[in-house]
């Protein structure tokens, strides 16, 4: 009886091992709308993807972006004013595949520039084409990473409080 049970276990394991796995858990579609914050860093304009913990938004991505001279000057002026007034400037590109940025490609995308958050009452200012010129940071985020970083930040904050006491 033991030999028959072992035979069925081995047979079912071998059959399962030869069954092709579907890719739905390995690859996710990253096609969609991926909002970003714009930041002025010296004379460079940066776009920072607004990540979430689940695909298709689970990447923190920062790129240097550029556009034609007229719009670039306008964008820099808007960002300077926003910094003075502590306002957020965001962009919403048309639907695209985030894998372009994840794989450090340099696409040119149609975007709408917003004064404020594009999903939370921000005002659309204008539409332009932005070229994602230079990838500065591309990192997949997970809840495990966030928990580890929170623990480190909490430990650092506690250490700072104790050393200042």
């Amino acid at each position: 009886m033991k030999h028959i049970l072992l035979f069925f276990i081995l047979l079912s394991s071998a059959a399962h091992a030869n069954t092709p796995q579907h890719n739905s858990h390995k690859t996710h579609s990253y096609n969609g709308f991926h909002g970003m914050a714009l930041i002025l860093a010296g004379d460079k304009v940066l776009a920072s993807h607004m990540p979430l913990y689940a695909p298709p938004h689970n990447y923190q991505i920062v790129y240097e972006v550029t556009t034609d001279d007229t719009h670039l000057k306008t964008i820099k002026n808007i960002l300077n004013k926003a910094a003075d007034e502590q306002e957020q400037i965001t962009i919403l590109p048309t639907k695209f595949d985030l894998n372009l940025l994840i794989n450090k490609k340099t696409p040119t995308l149609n975007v709408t520039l917003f004064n404020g958050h594009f999903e939370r009452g921000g005002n659309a200012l204008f539409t332009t084409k932005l070229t994602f010129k230079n990838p500065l940071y591309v990192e997949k985020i997970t809840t495990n990473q966030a928990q580890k970083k929170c623990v480190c930040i909490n430990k650092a904050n506690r250490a700072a409080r104790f050393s200042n006491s």
Side-chain angles (χ1 to χ4, degrees), residues 45-108:
V45 177
L46 308 181
S48 177
H49 177 247
M50 297 177 170
L52 300 170
Y53 290 110
H57 304 289
N58 59 333
Y59 274 84
Q60 179 65 57
I61 299 171
V62 179
Y63 259 75
E64 179 183 352
V65 295
T66 191
T67 189
D68 66 64
D69 288 339
T70 305
H71 278 145
L72 189 61
K73 186 175 180 179
T74 302
I75 290 170
K76 286 180 179 181
N77 289 337
I78 289 169
L79 288 169
N80 272 320
K81 183 179 176 193
D84 291 341
E85 298 175 5
Q86 296 184 348
E87 292 178 347
Q88 182 180 37
I89 302 298
T90 60
I91 57 170
L92 183 61
T94 54
K95 192 173 185 179
F96 77 101
D97 187 351
L98 193 63
N99 281 308
L100 291 170
L101 302 182
I102 292 167
N103 294 319
K104 300 182 180 180
K105 305 293 183 192
T106 56
T108 297

Side-chain angles (χ1 to χ4, degrees), residues 11-22:
L11 184 64
S12 65
S13 296
H16 182 65
N18 291 327
T19 304
Q21 292 182 341
H22 63 90

Side-chain angles (χ1 to χ4, degrees), residues 103-156:
N103 294 319
K104 300 182 180 180
K105 305 293 183 192
T106 56
T108 297
L109 303 173
N110 291 318
V111 304
T112 301
L113 193 89
F114 288 83
N115 183 9
H117 193 290
F118 65 94
E119 286 182 321
R120 298 188 179 107
N123 296 319
L125 300 174
F126 60 88
T127 300
T128 190
K129 290 180 184 277
L130 280 184
T131 299
F132 287 73
K133 174 180 165 179
N134 182 22
L136 302 173
Y137 184 82
V138 177
E139 186 73 31
K140 187 174 188 176
I141 59 173
T142 66
T143 54
N144 289 344
Q145 287 172 325
Q147 290 167 349
K148 287 177 187 174
K149 287 179 183 176
C150 287
V151 167
C152 291
I153 290 168
N154 287 337
K155 285 181 181 178

